[in-house]
Amino acid sequence: RAAVEELRKAVLEAGGDDVKEADARAAAAQKAFEAAKTAFDDLVRRAKAARKALAKATAAKAKAEADLGALLLGATSDAALDDVDAAVAELAAACAATNQTLVAVDYTVPSACGPNAELYARHGVAFVMGTTGGDAAALAATVERSPRCRAVIAPNMARGIVALQAAVENAARDFPGAFRGYELAVVESHQSTKRDTSGTAKAVVASLVALVDDRAGADDAADAVAAIRRVRDAETQLDGAGGELQAVPEANLAGHAYHTYSLTAPDGSVRFELRHNVNGRRIYAEGTADAVLFLARRINDAAASDGKRVYNMIDVLKSGELY
C-alpha cells in the first residue's frame, strides 16, 4: 500500500491538473458507491421487516379462518353468534392487511343459508351461495341492503348444466306451448345426504311447463315441481330407478347428480328425453372457482364493475371469465 501511495503521489506531481481531476472523479464515484450501498442495506432491512409482518398477518389470517370454522360449527347461542361476528371481522381485517380479497363460499343447508347471508352482509363480505333450497329472493334482498356486499347466488355451479338450463329457458320463452298436451315427468337422484329437491330440477321444470302449456301459471309450475320424483336410496340408484334413470355406479353413490326430464305425447308415439348425469363434485368446484374470481374482479377492478350486486351463474358464463 505504501508503494502504491508513493507512486500515486509521483503521478500527481508529474501529471498536473488532468490527473488531479481523474482522482477527484474517482473519489466522487467511491462516495456515490458508498451511498448506494447504504441505501441498498436499508432496503434489505425494510424488506426483511415487511416479510416478517406479512408472515405475522398470514398467520393471523389462518388462525382467524380456523377460529371462524370452529365457531360456525358450534354457533347456537347468542354469545357464540357474537363470537362468529368477531371472527368474521378479524378475518376480513387480516385479509385487508395482506392485500387479499375475502370471498365466502357457502355450501351448507337450506336453514342456514339465510342467516349466513345476513352474516356476510353485515361485514360486507362477498359470497358465492351454492346452497340450494333457500329463499333466493330473500337472499338477494339481504345483499341489496348491504352497501358493500356482492354475491353470486345459483342453484347449480356446473358450467355445462347452467348453459343447458339457460337453453331450456330460452326455448320456453321463444316457443311456448311447443309441446302442448305432452306429459312431463322428472326424476332426479342425488347422494343420500342431500335433503332437498334439486334446485336445478326445479328451475328446468319451470321452463318445461311453459313448453307444455303456454297458458301455465305459477300454480302449474308448483304442481310440476311437487311431482318431481326424488331418489335417495342406494338400491334404487344402483337399479337406475327401474329404467327412469341411468344406473349410478356404486363408487359414486356418495356424490352424484342424475336427472332425467321426459316429455311424452298423449298417444305415447313420441317421447323426448333430456338427461344430465354427473359423478363426483369436480364440475361444481370448477364453477365455484369461476364465480369467486368473477366476484373478486368486480370488487378490485373498477372497469369490471357494472353496478350490480347480485349475480347468477349465467352472468358468470356470459362474462367469459372462466377458470
Side-chain angles (χ1 to χ4, degrees):
R1 291 181 179 179
V4 170
E5 183 61 25
E6 288 180 8
L7 179 59
R8 177 176 172 277
K9 288 180 180 179
V11 170
L12 286 174
E13 291 173 357
D17 293 339
D18 290 342
V19 176
K20 289 179 181 179
E21 182 182 351
D23 190 62
R25 291 171 63 187
Q30 178 66 25
K31 185 177 180 180
F33 170 77
E34 291 174 354
K37 184 176 183 301
T38 299
F40 176 76
D41 290 342
D42 181 60
L43 181 62
V44 169
R45 284 193 296 272
R46 290 168 61 190
K48 288 180 179 179
R51 281 198 296 270
K52 288 181 180 179
L54 177 61
K56 184 177 179 180
T58 301
K61 174 175 172 286
K63 182 177 182 302
E65 289 174 339
D67 290 347
L68 177 58
L71 286 167
L72 286 172
L73 288 174
T76 54
S77 67
D78 289 342
L81 291 172
D82 288 342
D83 289 341
V84 169
D85 268 302
V88 172
E90 182 182 354
L91 179 57
C95 286
T98 54
N99 198 31
Q100 293 179 311
T101 302
L102 178 60
V103 178
V105 175
D106 195 299
Y107 282 100
T108 52
V109 293
S111 60
C113 62
N116 287 354
E118 293 281 357
L119 173 68
Y120 310 140
R122 279 199 300 275
H123 296 278
V125 174
F127 65 92
V128 174
M129 179 63 71
T131 305
T132 62
D135 186 333
L139 292 171
T142 297
V143 177
E144 295 290 358
R145 287 195 298 269
S146 172
R148 295 177 295 134
C149 189
R150 286 185 174 91
V152 171
I153 301 171
N156 197 307
M157 294 291 172
R159 299 173 194 162
I161 294 175
V162 171
L164 180 64
Q165 179 182 332
V168 175
E169 288 178 2
N170 291 339
R173 183 188 64 242
D174 295 338
F175 311 111
F179 290 85
R180 185 175 290 112
Y182 278 60
E183 180 184 355
L184 170 63
V186 181
V187 184
E188 59 95 333
S189 172
H190 287 259
Q191 60 277 2
S192 60
T193 54
K194 182 172 176 59
R195 302 177 185 178
D196 59 313
T197 301
S198 165
T200 301
K202 293 177 181 178
V204 173
V205 162
S207 297
L208 292 176
V209 166
L211 284 169
V212 171
D213 184 356
D214 55 342
R215 297 166 297 179
D219 290 343
D220 298 295
D223 290 343
V225 166
I228 295 173
R229 181 183 177 191
R230 188 174 67 181
V231 178
R232 295 293 183 270
D233 64 286
E235 184 177 351
T236 305
Q237 290 168 342
L238 292 169
D239 178 60
E244 295 184 71
L245 291 168
Q246 181 174 314
V248 179
E250 186 172 3
N252 298 114
L253 289 175
H256 70 278
Y258 281 30
H259 292 202
T260 298
Y261 310 87
S262 64
L263 292 163
T264 306
D267 62 0
S269 62
V270 182
R271 178 183 173 89
F272 292 87
E273 279 193 358
L274 180 63
R275 292 192 179 198
H276 54 84
N277 301 329
V278 176
N279 291 317
R281 296 182 174 88
R282 181 185 181 92
I283 190 172
Y284 307 112
E286 291 173 344
T288 301
D290 291 333
V292 168
L293 295 175
F294 173 88
L295 278 181
R297 182 161 183 243
R298 273 140 193 81
I299 293 169
N300 297 317
D301 185 353
S305 181
D306 51 14
K308 289 180 66 174
R309 307 265 287 288
V310 181
Y311 303 91
N312 56 35
M313 277 303 290
I314 293 177
D315 295 319
V316 176
L317 291 182
K318 286 183 176 179
S319 75
E321 302 164 21
L322 303 181
Y323 173 72

